[in-house]
Amino acid sequence: MRRVNRLSLEELAPHLLETPDPPRPLVWSDVFGNDRPVEIEVGFGKGLFLLTASEACPDVNFLGIEIVRKYQLFTATRMAKRAQANVRLACADARRFLRDCVSPGSVQAVHVYFPDPWWKKRHLKRRLFTSEFAALCEVVLRPGGVLHLATDVEDYFAMATELVAQNTKLDRLPPPDEKVPAHDFDYLTNFERKFRKEGRPIHRVDYRKPS
Ligand SMILES: C[S@@+](CC[C@H](N)C(=O)[O-])C[C@H]1O[C@@H](n2cnc3c(N)ncnc32)[C@H](O)[C@@H]1O
């Protein structure tokens, strides 16, 4: 992984969110120090989406949940260098974190971009998008809130859209447009950049929770 200049844990601390122990629902105004709407990205990797979105929408609070600690620290470093006050980053399994630490109906959007497919039978239990996960997304969204999903894997897309249809009452929206990037950081995420440069089609869908 390309290094971002090292910062101390004290310098990263404003962006790091500990999972409550014992697990319990977080109060967003305590986490962010304000009552602005909250959006969650699951599996943020190197954090390009959080960086772009949090700069573009300073009146929105962003929580990233990432299972790999080195990505949490890498992205926290990027946020700390820009003093990006509206981003917090948890290192956790998002399936448990959404279930235990996010209050029902408290989130404006959930973003899931390029989840690992984990096709092999022995890896199935690592797969993020399951019927439980689809149902959890619906539970944490507030009425009118939106679930965003993008993947390069057609079969994963088919599986995920089927799970949402079967397990939730979320309304499927028209697919979002694919914009032409103006520069090398003008992509949704790092994986989007990689796959689009390889010429792979990207499958996208948005869902809205009925009001
Ligand atoms: C293929 S990468 C995509 C990263 C980023 N979304 C992007 O598009 O560039 C998938 C990411 O999801 C993370 N991840 C996988 N399972 C997860 C889970 N259960 N909870 C949170 N993050 C998870 C992985 O560590 C990895 O960073």
Side-chain angles (χ1 to χ4, degrees):
M1 180 165 37
R2 195 165 59 84
R3 265 201 193 289
V4 174
N5 293 348
R6 269 183 187 282
L7 295 179
S8 67
L9 274 179
E10 286 75 41
E11 289 169 298
L12 302 186
H15 301 283
L16 303 179
L17 179 66
E18 293 301 323
T19 303
D21 182 20
R24 60 186 176 280
L26 293 159
V27 176
W28 296 133
S29 55
D30 292 347
V31 172
F32 291 99
N34 60 59
D35 284 323
R36 293 175 184 150
V38 174
E39 302 199 5
I40 292 180
E41 185 186 13
V42 169
F44 56 77
K46 292 183 181 174
L48 180 58
F49 168 76
L50 288 173
L51 200 61
T52 314
S54 62
E55 278 178 357
C57 306
D59 291 337
V60 174
N61 294 319
F62 289 89
L63 168 64
I65 311 170
E66 166 58 56
I67 204 163
V68 176
R69 172 81 167 160
K70 74 176 176 190
Y71 291 137
Q72 182 202 27
L73 297 179
F74 181 89
T75 299
T77 304
R78 298 179 92 179
M79 301 302 164
K81 290 175 118 189
R82 288 168 178 77
Q84 204 61 42
N86 56 339
V87 180
R88 301 290 181 276
L89 305 166
C91 182
D93 184 332
R95 296 168 296 186
R96 285 200 209 117
F97 196 96
L98 288 182
R99 186 192 65 200
D100 298 337
C101 305
V102 178
S103 293
S106 70
V107 170
Q108 169 166 282
V110 176
H111 303 263
V112 184
Y113 298 131
F114 304 93
D116 301 298
W118 297 122
W119 283 128
K120 289 189 184 151
K121 211 170 173 190
R122 67 177 188 278
H123 291 151
L124 265 185
K125 61 177 182 302
R126 297 188 199 167
R127 193 186 286 167
L128 179 72
F129 220 105
T130 59
S131 50
E132 290 78 20
F133 182 79
L136 264 178
C137 289
E138 180 181 32
V139 167
V140 300
L141 284 173
R142 64 163 170 69
V146 177
L147 167 64
H148 304 267
L149 170 68
T151 173
D152 59 309
V153 183
E154 192 173 4
D155 288 349
Y156 195 97
F157 185 77
M159 177 273 298
T161 49
E162 187 61 26
L163 289 175
V164 173
Q166 282 175 3
N167 295 285
T168 78
K169 292 190 164 52
L170 297 175
D171 294 325
R172 190 166 173 165
L173 302 174
D177 292 336
E178 187 160 279
K179 71 174 196 176
V180 179
H183 52 78
D184 212 37
F185 290 96
D186 193 21
Y187 288 90
L188 187 62
T189 69
N190 280 76
F191 271 72
E192 196 213 40
R193 176 168 59 209
K194 171 176 149 62
F195 295 140
R196 285 183 67 181
K197 286 188 170 181
E198 289 172 6
R200 290 203 221 176
I202 309 295
H203 309 279
R204 301 167 201 272
V205 66
D206 292 341
Y207 294 94
R208 177 167 287 128
K209 181 165 172 172
S211 297

